[in-house]
Amino acid sequence: LHRLRSEDPKYSEMAWSVFQSIEKYCKMDVGYSGLKDVDSLEFLDNRDSNRVNSMPSFLIAETLKYLLLTFAPDSHVSLHDFVFTTEAHPLRQLYTLNPSG
């Protein structure tokens, strides 16, 4: 998404919508909850009945990191020097001293 956001604003808009929904429907006083059913409109009237009393570890480990990377300026992390795993963990790229050899 980081590279695509400048090519097509719809990706930034989708990511912003995800962030706003997490804040609106999952934010608690001390963290974030999961939802039993994301398709249920039940949470509009009674949010607690649709919430799971735990915060999934992937929320911070993956989701929020990807949102950060989506909206961070290009100077935040060099995509020339780092690649990201599917869990959004940065890995420094290894370079050979003699690329032609």
Side-chain angles (χ1 to χ4, degrees), residues 89-100:
H89 301 304
L91 298 175
R92 186 175 295 278
Q93 293 195 47
L94 300 177
Y95 300 99
T96 60
L97 295 176
N98 184 1
S100 62

Side-chain angles (χ1 to χ4, degrees), residues 17-33:
S17 177
V18 167
F19 176 75
Q20 288 179 311
S21 292
I22 290 170
E23 286 290 301
K24 182 176 181 179
Y25 300 115
C26 300
K27 188 170 184 167
M28 305 290 288
D29 291 337
V30 294
Y32 293 86
S33 70

Side-chain angles (χ1 to χ4, degrees), residues 53-98:
N53 190 19
S54 66
M55 183 173 77
S57 62
F58 64 81
L59 178 74
I60 293 175
E62 299 170 33
T63 307
L64 294 181
K65 276 197 281 186
Y66 275 122
L67 287 169
L68 168 69
L69 292 170
T70 299
F71 295 108
D74 292 341
S75 61
H76 184 71
V77 64
S78 168
L79 295 180
H80 176 74
D81 295 328
F82 290 91
V83 294
F84 290 87
T85 67
T86 56
E87 288 90 20
H89 301 304
L91 298 175
R92 186 175 295 278
Q93 293 195 47
L94 300 177
Y95 300 99
T96 60
L97 295 176
N98 184 1

Side-chain angles (χ1 to χ4, degrees), residues 1-13 15 67-76 79:
L1 286 176
H2 178 75
R3 290 181 179 168
L4 295 174
R5 70 184 158 107
S6 59
E7 294 175 21
D8 191 339
K10 75 178 178 183
Y11 297 108
S12 292
E13 293 166 8
L67 287 169
L68 168 69
L69 292 170
T70 299
F71 295 108
D74 292 341
S75 61
H76 184 71
L79 295 180

